[in-house]
Amino acid sequence: MMIISSGPRRLLMAVVSVAAALVPFYSTHAEMSAWADNEGGRMRLVALAPDAGGKIRAALQIEPKPGWITYWKEPGGNGIPPQITIAADSGVTLDAIAYPVPKHFFTGAIEDIAYDAPVTLPLSLTAAGKGPVAIDAAAFIGICKDICIPFQANFQLKLGPAIQSHPQEEAILQAADASLPKPPSQDFGVTAHAMSPDRKTLSLTLALPGEGPSEGKAAPDIIVTGPSGHAFTKQIGGKRDGATFKVDVAIGKLPENYDISGKRWGVLVIDGERAMETTLAFE
């Protein structure tokens, strides 16, 4: 399992966590909240009115300051993954959070899977009933540089009628969708996977696109996400033969008595300018 941050980072996180929880509500009657500010960056909530089925397209915009990062969905041991909760009595539920393609950073023994530039996390929400919709949300992320600062803010949005046009919000959501990794395709995906009997390595066979660094000797970036809190990235003996890439991924320590049978893990493959994400089912 990857190492995400150092001891000093964790210490400061504990010291500032109480203060970070005191960011006030950011409320508006539009489809975009005001920005909530933090020492390392800012964030806000964007949403469109529900469609006829009650589905709401929304997003959390995060803008780290230069030199700062914020984490991907599975940061590993010491990072802070984004957390978004919706008030239970608001009549709105959170169905899913999507994550744009992250970057892979190495600083000595510290490995981060994160974003060092503005990022927008698409949110899928559902509103109950047909009346006016008010989103009451709390967002909690980590903003890190030499230190990590927990960043929490509360947002309230009252959504207007769906018949109104909101081009700025729509553009933000469209750009966020375009930044997501693509599902597997015929020329880019996992064609075979197998866990070793000792659960120390995961063998992968990939179909890679005929472009980007994979056409040379460089291996694609592979991030395997297993049980919650676990991500595996160390490749062993990768070999490309035409459009086929075979590699073993080292599997670190798993939870005690973890039974992989019936589990579904995730895998993100970044090859040049293209990225693919899919699930691995284990029998």
Side-chain angles (χ1 to χ4, degrees):
M1 185 170 64
M2 62 185 167
I3 300 172
I4 291 298
S5 58
S6 62
R9 276 188 182 175
R10 295 196 300 272
L11 177 61
L12 186 64
M13 284 166 58
V15 171
V16 303
S17 60
V18 174
L22 301 180
V23 177
F25 278 95
Y26 288 81
S27 180
T28 177
H29 290 275
E31 279 64 33
M32 189 182 301
S33 76
W35 288 101
D37 294 297
N38 172 277
E39 179 182 344
R42 62 181 188 170
M43 60 179 169
R44 69 178 174 183
L45 185 66
V46 178
L48 293 178
D51 63 16
K55 299 299 182 181
I56 300 171
R57 293 177 62 210
L60 181 69
Q61 283 191 290
I62 306 170
E63 293 189 356
K65 291 182 179 178
W68 292 75
I69 63 172
T70 190
Y71 285 109
W72 187 56
K73 62 182 177 181
E74 194 55 86
N78 300 312
I80 303 175
Q83 300 172 41
I84 300 169
T85 56
I86 308 295
D89 60 355
S90 67
V92 176
T93 56
L94 174 63
D95 301 321
I97 306 174
Y99 294 85
V101 180
K103 293 182 180 179
H104 211 163
F105 301 95
F106 296 89
T107 306
I110 300 176
E111 178 181 3
D112 289 315
I113 301 174
Y115 307 98
D116 64 347
V119 62
T120 303
L121 309 182
L123 310 177
S124 298
L125 308 174
T126 300
K130 301 297 183 181
V133 175
I135 300 175
D136 186 355
F140 181 81
I141 65 172
I143 294 282
C144 301
K145 193 177 181 182
D146 300 322
I147 58 175
C148 278
I149 301 176
F151 183 9
Q152 177 171 304
N154 297 297
F155 300 101
Q156 292 181 327
L157 284 180
K158 294 183 179 179
L159 303 183
I163 59 173
Q164 294 179 353
S165 176
H166 298 282
Q168 185 176 1
E169 288 86 344
E170 291 169 357
I172 291 170
L173 296 175
Q174 289 175 2
D177 289 341
S179 69
L180 299 177
K182 301 298 186 267
S185 59
Q186 185 174 358
D187 73 330
F188 196 8
V190 178
T191 58
H193 68 279
M195 182 68 74
S196 63
D198 62 3
R199 303 191 306 181
K200 296 296 184 183
T201 57
L202 173 65
S203 297
L204 296 175
T205 302
L206 309 176
L208 295 181
E211 60 183 56
S214 62
E215 208 160 26
K217 293 185 178 180
D221 199 358
I222 301 173
I223 302 168
V224 175
T225 55
S228 179
H230 295 69
F232 311 103
T233 63
K234 183 180 179 181
Q235 298 183 30
I236 304 171
K239 182 179 180 180
R240 182 181 173 103
D241 181 9
T244 300
F245 183 77
K246 293 185 177 182
V247 68
D248 289 340
V249 176
I251 303 301
K253 186 177 181 180
L254 293 170
E256 188 175 358
N257 300 320
Y258 180 77
D259 183 4
I260 199 170
S261 299
K263 299 297 193 301
R264 296 175 69 86
W265 287 14
V267 59
L268 172 67
V269 182
I270 305 170
D271 190 51
E273 296 300 316
R274 294 181 63 178
M276 180 278 305
E277 188 170 30
T278 189
T279 57
L280 308 175
F282 296 94
E283 302 298 331

